[in-house]
Amino acid sequence: MILQTITFYLFAAITIAAGFMVIAARNPVHSVLYLILAFFTSAGLFVLIGAEFIAMILVIVYVGAVAVLFLFVVMMLDINFTELRQGFLQYLPIGGLIGLALLIELIMVVGVWQFGPEVAGHAIPQATTNGMTNTEALGNIIYTQYVYAFQAAGVILLIAMIGAIVLTHRTRPGVKKQRISSQVYRDPKTTIEVKKIKPGQGI
Amino acid sequence: MIEVPALLPALPEIILAIGALALLMLGVFTGEKSLRTVSALAVLLLLAAAAAVLPGYRDTVVTFGGMFVSDSFGGFCKILILLGSALSIIISVDYLERENLKRFEYPVLIVLATLGMLMMVSSNDLIALYIGLETQSLALYVMAAFSRDSARSTEAGLKYFVLGALSSGMLLYGSSLIYGFTGGTSFSLIAAAVSGSGPVPIGVLLGLVFVMAGLAFKVSAVPFHMWTPDVYEGAPTPVTAFFAVAPKIAAMALLVRTMFGAFPEISDQWQQILVFLSIASMVVGAVFAIVQTNIKRLMAYSSIGHVGYALMGVATGTPDGVKSVLVYLAIYLAMNVGAFALIIAMRRKDGATESIADLAGLSRTRPAMAFALAIFMFSLAGIPPLAGFFGKFYVFIAAIEANLTFLAVIGALASAVSAFYYLRIVKVMYFDEPADAFDVNTGRGITAVATVSALVTLLFFVFPAPIVGAAAYAAQSLFQ
């Protein structure tokens, strides 16, 4: 138990520190790297509460795809981040004020938190895992009970892909493409010319 | 061991999903020149799906763990949607070829959007509702921006996307509130949770309002209509024609399904919201259309007004009201497809035109086209004995029988105001000095669709029984 507590506080502290560094780092590439660190440590936190599927998804999807995409964007777009950051001090008072108001509101909301009687009356659905890992439990319903929604979500992704191609793909002339068939069908007769060169003369 | 869900009730959706993949492969491997082939196959695919709706038309079957329902209400709406999509592909092809938008993705996107609409119509669960809605919307966003070299089309797509995302957010927020306060996402669970005695939890009501706001956005009811004129004007004309027909029917059916499926016991709560939406839509649709000079913008306001009349039928909360909505949607489909087919045909040597002034003297340069457009305009205005009159007639009768006489009166007044701008188009066509003639070569698809829908609009009063009977039967299936 003590080990878990220590791990939790360690991971939580790293997550918050990494989150802070995301907005504080001067170099945007470093920001994205800190973001990846935050994702990894949050994945660790999910493992701690027994949600290993979400932990894996977090690493695969967010670190593997989203964060790498961010890195590409940050590296390829020529945005002057120091310019964006100018005037930070000028906006600090109003920003701080908004943050303070938000904090007070949060404290007030959480302070008087209680479930309404009509919510408590209803049975909130509970997961019945029967000793299964939660990956197994998800797999059991996603292809059975929710197969319709799952397949339909696949169609939505397909439409998004077609849409991206329709709206952005252009056939440009003069692009050098690899044509494997023409490479295969090349033969020495058409491409190589053998010349006899007498010694000492050159061509 | 978990049993496999019954797939047969979802046969139309499965046909469309697999067919869309096949069309996509065909298009990718044959390239840009395959637009005509892919379009023809897409029309066949949509008709095949409509044929697949028919066998299960009479039974109410729930499958996929309660997420999906197939009944005669859904069947009726699905056939309308599939017909609307098929007709809008037929009237699009010529335009796309001439405007240099020859891309095979167009019919594929229509098929995928139609798939989303069928899913919306059949949804029996908040998750299924949202997924169907997003499938439809995502395809529509792309289609609005389909003419990507035109700044207006791109703007229309972006506007539609941003505002659509906002409405999806509202819908999701409402859904999560409803889920939190009823403990379920399935419509039957929600209906059971709110049907008990005692006051309805305020959270459910708040969720209901947000869900209705999200759905009102999709049917473009006032005050959630801001996107409609801009998107209709900016999108390529065939896309506008598609927008005006199939998605409207689907979203209206989804609204009916959600209200009568999940909240039947608290109809007094949502009726007042619908009454307001209906009045506002009818009035705004009638008044703001008067000042329009662009015919696509005018049709946008016209569609807002028509949504108001259809909402009046939903607001009654009775089987007769639902029947009148279904009849209204069927007639709306015929009128709008025909009118838009002719708007697509407005083209001169130097390209497509879309201003009302360009129609001047059409009766002398193209008498047949002017006559057909006059039929559609008279019908949209609701002048007897054309189909549009009967659509409004059934809705007004249902409203009066449900003690909403004031609503019917406002509807009649708005209808009188809107007659002004419909008749103005007829006046421009028949009494103004002729402008330059339109291009004669309109294409066989447009001619055929315009002729058939003009005949349906003109002769509806001779044989209303099949459609009205089918609508009454379909409406009953919601009240079992």
Side-chain angles (χ1 to χ4, degrees):
Chain A
M1 206 58 209
I2 182 81
L3 189 66
Q4 278 187 15
T5 316
I6 293 172
T7 321
F8 170 77
Y9 280 111
L10 181 68
F11 276 40
I14 295 177
T15 309
I16 292 171
F20 179 74
M21 288 307 288
V22 171
I23 52 168
R26 284 199 172 279
N27 188 334
V29 178
H30 292 176
S31 287
V32 178
L33 292 175
Y34 276 116
L35 189 68
I36 294 175
L37 178 64
F39 283 143
F40 263 115
T41 44
S42 336
L45 289 174
F46 275 119
V47 171
L48 274 181
I49 57 167
E52 75 274 359
F53 182 75
I54 299 181
M56 287 189 297
I57 287 296
L58 200 66
V59 171
I60 295 169
V61 175
Y62 279 85
V63 178
V66 178
V68 172
L69 195 72
F70 276 8
L71 262 186
F72 270 121
V73 171
V74 166
M75 286 174 167
M76 292 175 86
L77 293 185
D78 188 23
I79 300 172
N80 193 346
F81 283 90
T82 46
E83 211 169 85
L84 280 181
R85 231 170 276 198
Q86 275 171 3
F88 177 73
L89 279 177
Q90 187 188 340
Y91 294 118
L92 193 61
I94 183 97
L97 203 66
I98 292 173
L100 193 69
L102 210 61
L103 186 70
I104 293 171
E105 280 176 3
L106 277 174
I107 290 171
M108 283 161 74
V109 166
V110 174
V112 295
W113 178 280
Q114 58 180 11
F115 278 106
E118 65 267 33
V119 177
H122 288 289
I124 292 165
Q126 290 290 330
T128 47
T129 49
N130 298 331
M132 280 187 283
T133 64
N134 52 43
T135 313
E136 206 179 341
L138 266 172
N140 262 336
I141 55 166
I142 208 163
Y143 292 102
T144 54
Q145 193 183 343
Y146 292 104
V147 65
Y148 175 70
F150 186 69
Q151 292 293 329
V155 175
I156 295 180
L157 291 180
L158 175 71
I159 294 175
M161 202 170 87
I162 298 174
I165 293 171
V166 168
L167 295 182
T168 57
H169 180 256
R170 282 157 214 274
T171 41
R172 276 177 299 179
V175 178
K176 292 201 167 97
K177 277 189 194 161
Q178 183 184 22
R179 290 204 181 77
I180 292 173
S181 60
S182 59
Q183 288 178 342
V184 170
Y185 282 114
R186 267 162 76 100
D187 60 24
K189 277 177 214 146
T190 54
T191 42
I192 301 175
E193 201 180 334
V194 182
K195 286 202 171 170
K196 291 256 188 252
I197 298 167
K198 286 183 182 138
Q201 288 183 355
I203 299 175
Chain B
M1 190 62 202
I2 299 139
E3 58 189 300
V4 179
L7 295 177
L8 214 53
L11 189 62
E13 285 81 358
I14 293 172
I15 289 178
L16 285 190
I18 295 176
L21 297 182
L23 289 181
L24 198 58
M25 295 312 282
L26 178 73
V28 168
F29 282 106
T30 49
E32 300 282 299
K33 59 186 176 297
S34 60
L35 174 68
R36 263 184 195 274
T37 325
V38 176
S39 300
L41 290 173
V43 171
L44 287 181
L45 189 69
L46 293 167
L47 295 180
V53 173
L54 290 173
Y57 186 76
R58 288 181 179 277
D59 315 311
T60 301
V61 192
V62 176
T63 181
F64 292 121
M67 281 195 161
F68 185 94
V69 61
S70 162
D71 57 7
S72 46
F73 171 77
F76 189 92
C77 295
K78 280 181 190 180
I79 289 176
L80 287 188
I81 292 166
L82 288 163
L83 276 181
S85 302
L87 293 177
S88 31
I89 294 180
I90 295 175
I91 58 178
S92 305
V93 179
D94 275 316
Y95 182 95
L96 295 177
E97 282 185 342
R98 293 191 191 193
E99 292 291 307
N100 209 8
L101 293 170
K102 271 170 72 175
R103 318 199 58 191
F104 68 87
E105 287 97 342
Y106 182 83
V108 175
L109 280 172
I110 286 199
V111 171
L112 286 170
T114 312
L115 168 66
M117 293 175 214
L118 299 198
M119 287 162 58
M120 284 157 69
V121 170
S122 270
S123 60
N124 196 32
D125 184 294
L126 289 175
I127 298 174
L129 180 160
Y130 180 70
I131 285 180
L133 201 63
E134 280 306 290
T135 311
Q136 179 221 237
S137 307
L138 215 54
L140 296 189
Y141 301 148
V142 178
M143 289 181 66
F146 200 77
S147 170
R148 59 186 189 189
D149 295 326
S150 134
R152 275 166 60 210
S153 172
T154 319
E155 183 196 327
L158 196 63
K159 226 173 221 171
Y160 194 20
F161 174 68
V162 171
L163 292 175
L166 181 75
S167 82
S168 290
M170 288 198 282
L171 192 90
L172 279 180
Y173 183 52
S175 304
S176 67
L177 277 175
I178 293 171
Y179 173 58
F181 279 84
T182 60
T185 56
S186 158
F187 285 178
S188 47
L189 267 175
I190 296 170
V194 296
S195 67
S197 56
V200 187
I202 191 79
V204 174
L205 290 183
L206 210 57
L208 175 65
V209 171
F210 273 105
V211 167
M212 288 182 77
L215 292 178
F217 189 93
K218 299 291 176 193
V219 294
S220 71
V222 179
F224 305 100
H225 67 290
M226 312 76 77
W227 58 275
T228 320
D230 291 347
V231 172
Y232 276 39
E233 189 188 356
T237 316
V239 176
T240 313
F242 179 59
F243 279 9
V245 181
K248 281 270 158 71
I249 298 175
M252 195 53 90
L254 180 64
L255 182 71
V256 173
R257 170 84 77 197
T258 315
M259 291 305 118
F260 289 91
F263 305 100
E265 301 288 329
I266 53 169
S267 58
D268 52 328
Q269 306 284 350
W270 49 260
Q271 263 173 336
Q272 44 186 333
I273 303 175
L274 284 180
V275 166
F276 170 74
L277 290 178
S278 168
I279 292 176
S281 306
M282 288 187 297
V283 171
V284 169
V287 174
F288 281 71
I290 293 175
V291 292
Q292 303 305 327
T293 54
N294 180 306
I295 191 147
K296 280 157 82 182
R297 246 183 131 73
L298 181 124
M299 290 304 281
Y301 280 106
S302 150
S303 85
I304 292 171
H306 283 283
V307 160
Y309 296 110
L311 282 175
M312 189 195 294
V314 188
T316 59
T318 60
D320 265 352
V322 177
K323 180 196 86 177
S324 69
V325 174
L326 292 177
V327 175
Y328 199 91
L329 291 178
I331 292 171
Y332 175 82
L333 167 77
M335 296 186 301
N336 266 278
V337 166
F340 269 107
L342 297 177
I343 293 173
I344 293 173
M346 286 170 59
R347 141 183 309 285
R348 297 219 174 86
K349 289 274 177 295
D350 48 348
T353 58
E354 47 194 50
S355 114
I356 293 175
D358 288 322
L359 286 167
L362 192 67
S363 64
R364 267 161 280 177
T365 53
R366 298 283 301 279
M369 184 176 169
F371 182 64
L373 196 53
I375 289 178
F376 295 127
M377 287 305 144
F378 279 125
S379 177
L380 284 167
I383 288 169
L386 298 170
F389 166 74
F390 289 95
K392 282 179 183 157
F393 175 74
Y394 287 116
V395 172
F396 289 166
I397 292 288
I400 290 169
E401 279 175 1
N403 291 325
L404 291 170
T405 315
F406 71 100
L407 196 54
V409 170
I410 295 174
L413 291 178
S415 184
V417 174
S418 67
F420 170 73
Y421 62 82
Y422 291 125
L423 297 186
R424 189 174 58 135
I425 294 178
V426 177
K427 177 235 160 201
V428 168
M429 287 192 303
Y430 277 86
F431 300 112
D432 282 8
E433 281 303 308
D436 294 342
F438 288 136
D439 214 340
V440 185
N441 190 9
T442 43
R444 268 175 303 172
I446 290 178
T447 316
V449 170
T451 313
V452 170
S453 40
L455 284 178
V456 171
T457 313
L458 200 58
L459 299 177
F460 176 79
F461 74 100
V462 183
F463 49 90
I467 292 177
V468 177
Y473 185 82
Q476 280 304 329
S477 74
L478 278 183
F479 291 88
Q480 279 160 5

